[in-house]
Amino acid sequence: EYELAEKIRRRYLLGWESPCTLYYMPKENLDLSLMKNKTERIRLEDAETVDHFYPFRDSGTLEVIKGDITNRPSSAIYIDGEMVCWVLIHDDNSMGIMYTKEAHRRRGYAVDVTIDLAHQIIERGKIPFIQIIHGNGMSPGLAKKCGFVEAGRADWFGIIAGTPKELIENNDNSKKQFLAALPVNLHEDVYNRNKEYICLYNFLHNFKYQSPEMNGLSLKQVESEMEKALWGDITSISFQSKVNPSKRKEILLQAISDAKYNLYLLYKDGIAIGASTTQRDEEEDRGLYLLSILPDYFDKDLLKVLISETIQYEKKKDCYFMVTQIEEKFLNIFQELGFRESHRI
């Protein structure tokens, strides 16, 4: 089965990946004496609390969690009416979404709810099992303490086959949002109607490109007003427009004043020579815009560094998916960085 999974990985683009280790509890390992505190089923009205603390939360998880609470066993500890620790069962029957509020940790509550829920599962004639994502350093110790036994690997991943309609829509919507922030008289400067633009996307889960070693280069996110002014200078000079540079700078700074924009500066030997902009389209989605390098410094290697380092910054901010629209002459650079074409406009 693992070999089959590897063949699928190599053949398709991965949209996401969650490598896990599988643990199960033999019936004879259940030790109810480990429970020290009273537990009860999660109340449906607390589904929003579970969703709020869920690290993989998205627009649809609340309804899924409500279904889990309604249709399957769960366990929680309540202190003065407040739910402080909980665990429930996913629709694949694995135990999960465990959480203990920070103020109530190191009191053994996680052991209590784990044993309680495992007991409920065994009482129903089933085998308790959990899947712990790689990198979670605390959960394996808790699982073994409660009597779970490691069983092997369980990899979860999603593949992209062809070009789903959603990818095209995401790209088009991102472009519309970006243009909406600019005055109409700059729209033609951004997307010349006489040119064809390639719409690209990249799932940053797959982004592993390392920028080449180039002495003196560094990328920094814009934080101060002085840095914002530098970003405006570089972008307005590099950004071809019929509007004069000083007016362009004013327009662009106004356009990106919204909190959904992240601005970056590329420095060479302490001098700002490049700039980039990302637009938050959804919680984990970004549009990449206004890539700029001063004319005296421009070359394709520097552009590649600017793009890749911007992506690395956004990836650390839990960015999952990125889109952009480019001219044909830049296609090779973006392809080397893992971008794929969705359509052309």
Side-chain angles (χ1 to χ4, degrees), residues 158-201:
I159 61 172
I160 306 297
T163 304
K165 182 179 70 172
E166 290 79 7
L167 296 184
I168 296 174
E169 292 175 347
N170 282 352
N171 212 310
D172 289 343
N173 289 336
S174 179
K175 178 175 74 73
K176 288 177 184 176
Q177 286 186 47
F178 176 61
L179 286 177
L182 297 174
V184 174
N185 65 334
L186 287 187
H187 288 194
E188 177 68 15
D189 298 318
V190 178
Y191 295 101
N192 188 320
R193 69 185 64 184
N194 297 317
K195 293 182 179 179
E196 181 179 63
Y197 291 88
I198 304 171
C199 297
L200 302 175
Y201 65 92

Side-chain angles (χ1 to χ4, degrees), residues 127-140:
I127 299 174
F129 71 99
I130 55 177
Q131 300 174 83
I132 300 176
I133 190 168
H134 293 178
N136 185 334
M138 297 182 66
S139 292

